Amino acid sequence: MPSLIAAIDQGTTSTRCLIFDRDAHIRAVSQREHKQILPQPGWVEHDPKEILESVHKVFADALHQLNADPAEICAVGITNQRETTVVWDSHSGLPYTNAIVWQDTRTEKLCEVISRRVGGQDRFRAKTGLPISVYFSGLKLRWLFDEVDGLYQAAERGDLLFGTIDSWLIWNLTGGVNGGHHYTDVTNASRTMLMNLKKLDWDAEILSELDIPSQALPKIMPSIANFGEADFNGVKVPIQAVFGDQQAALFGQGCFSAGEAKNTYGTGCFLLLNTGETAIQSQNRLITTVAYQAEGQPAVYALEGSIAFAGSLVQWMRDNLKMISASSEIESLARTVQDNGDVYIVPAFAGLFAPYWRSDARGLIAGLTRFSNSGHIARAVLEATAYQTMDVVAAMERDAGVPLTSLKVDGGMTVNELLMQFQADVLGVPIIRPVIRETTALGAAFGAGLGSGIYPNLDALKGSWQAEKSWQPNLEPELRRKYQEKWHKAVKKSFDWVDLNV
Ligand code: ADP
């Protein structure tokens, strides 16, 4: 039986293809960047055709590296940047416009208008798990209907197809104009603000309120299911799993049980906690989302909290303060001092997100004395990521009603051992880094392997996930409390900086 699995990881800046064997070893990797199109401030677009082409190229390149019979590949899993919105013509197969990327803020006004109605920013939260925000794809679609002539009518006629990047890829790979499947998966659909979290289907009331013709929407599939046969220029492989990127990382970290969590430390941080078959309504302004669903089984849900500035604070120290010339230098600089010397940095560059939600906050460096030096600043920069994670974990624990017992980590910042140790210290739980840090691609491959029968069950996947290193908490509780208090004092001082009424 063929036993290789391909994972397509279609990210915000690049597209990758990784080929795994059944022991979850990486056998080939190929990557291509794509253009970031920035037509005006706040707008971010991608060319959907360029993305599709890059998927074909990375797949062909990975296959070439492997030098194996294509028939060895038994399944493909797709994971993608979430919320990025594409609309295309079902007859020509051509996109009507560039894709509107998740980071794009053009729907700000629309969000404001809709939030003025009864129920405010949380008017769809009970059904969708999401606050009204520029991130989510349903309002990007509404914006397209409002702003681009003829699109609404095309949708009403059934000519216009909407999808996030997963749908665009699935439709094209399974035949395009010749009968491509217009599908999405539950994890991607749960980020549209149009899906009912309990019914796992489009919510008729929300569609009617936003005036979105349902014929434009893809069919919602479980994340682990047969999405159809993909044709990579003649190489045919069934698509057996589709996940949004953060959900794929949760799956790739083997967080299959309620209470298990992962944090991805990149430019920002994304923390997801598996809450089992219960969609917990957050009282602390976290997002409720679908973690995954296997065909014929109930959906598994997650709470999600994101942190805007994590690795980007390290980049700020490099590019704006010029205290280091590469991100990797921050660790040795931080190690020139014993501790933070009472210096705290709150990176509220654009206000504070979860769990504070203060748009009037701005960044600060607190506790400076004549004694403070660049080593203390470096420590404070790294510690800011650990403290922000601690605050999101506390909000999750309050929502979930159970304490976290360990945290699995991935992403570019996890090479920083000082940060990892400090994270364990302030959280008071072990931090675990896996052998395969490509957890997003691994999650897609795990899902596809499960769907194709390479792995019989989740337990078999657990056996393929391996810890590489862990950090145990090693800080006296008294000192930990003192640090936490100081951090929270600094956070409070960042409030009320911008007068939003002016
Ligand atoms: P993304 O996927 O969001 O682009 P990555 O997971 O590739 O991000 O991580 C890149 C981020 O990690 C950058 O913001 C960079 O500054 C930070 N980073 C890289 N190496 C280190 C390091 N040794 N210590 C701290 N931060 C680092």
Side-chain angles (χ1 to χ4, degrees), residues 273-312:
L273 169 75
N274 181 324
T275 61
E277 290 171 23
T278 319
I280 294 179
Q281 279 295 334
S282 177
Q283 304 302 316
N284 297 284
R285 313 219 58 199
L286 300 171
I287 283 170
T288 310
T289 200
V290 178
Y292 65 91
Q293 184 194 20
E295 190 150 36
Q297 288 177 31
V300 171
Y301 295 90
L303 280 169
E304 174 175 327
S306 42
I307 294 163
F309 289 92
S312 48

Side-chain angles (χ1 to χ4, degrees), residues 61 110 125 137 169-170 185 190 238 251 335 341 361 429 451 480:
D61 186 44
L110 185 60
R125 189 185 270 275
S137 42
L169 296 179
I170 297 163
D185 92 295
S190 76
F251 204 76
R335 286 192 192 279
V429 300
R480 186 172 151 223

Side-chain angles (χ1 to χ4, degrees), residues 13 264-268 270 310-315 318 327-331 382 410-416 419:
T13 54
T264 299
Y265 296 78
T267 317
F270 288 93
S312 48
L313 185 61
V314 178
Q315 289 167 303
R318 182 194 65 196
S327 296
S328 55
E329 289 172 13
I330 193 169
E331 184 164 355
L382 293 174
D410 50 60
M413 285 186 98
T414 61
V415 296
N416 194 308
L419 170 62

Side-chain angles (χ1 to χ4, degrees), residues 202-372:
W202 305 118
D203 188 273
E205 263 174 36
I206 298 178
L207 294 189
S208 144
E209 185 173 338
L210 297 178
D211 193 13
I212 293 188
S214 60
Q215 56 271 37
L217 305 179
K219 179 179 169 189
I220 302 175
M221 301 278 287
S223 356
I224 300 162
N226 190 339
F227 287 77
E229 194 167 59
D231 185 341
F232 294 97
N233 295 319
V235 178
K236 297 195 173 162
V237 191
I239 304 170
Q240 296 281 12
V242 176
F243 301 89
D245 53 10
Q246 297 304 326
Q247 282 90 339
L250 186 74
F251 204 76
Q253 286 276 24
C255 296
F256 306 134
S257 309
E260 293 186 298
K262 71 90 196 174
N263 194 15
T264 299
Y265 296 78
T267 317
C269 287
F270 288 93
L271 224 159
L272 269 76
L273 169 75
N274 181 324
T275 61
E277 290 171 23
T278 319
I280 294 179
Q281 279 295 334
S282 177
Q283 304 302 316
N284 297 284
R285 313 219 58 199
L286 300 171
I287 283 170
T288 310
T289 200
V290 178
Y292 65 91
Q293 184 194 20
E295 190 150 36
Q297 288 177 31
V300 171
Y301 295 90
L303 280 169
E304 174 175 327
S306 42
I307 294 163
F309 289 92
S312 48
L313 185 61
V314 178
Q315 289 167 303
W316 177 80
M317 188 182 171
R318 182 194 65 196
D319 302 338
N320 296 39
L321 300 188
K322 302 201 190 310
M323 285 181 175
I324 47 175
S325 54
S327 296
S328 55
E329 289 172 13
I330 193 169
E331 184 164 355
S332 48
L333 182 56
R335 286 192 192 279
T336 59
V337 290
Q338 284 303 309
D339 56 29
N340 68 4
D342 210 25
V343 174
Y344 289 78
I345 300 184
V346 182
F349 290 155
L352 280 172
F353 295 171
Y356 297 103
W357 301 101
R358 296 287 300 235
S359 36
D360 59 342
R362 282 300 175 272
L364 60 77
I365 304 181
L368 293 177
T369 63
R370 182 74 179 78
F371 165 76
S372 313

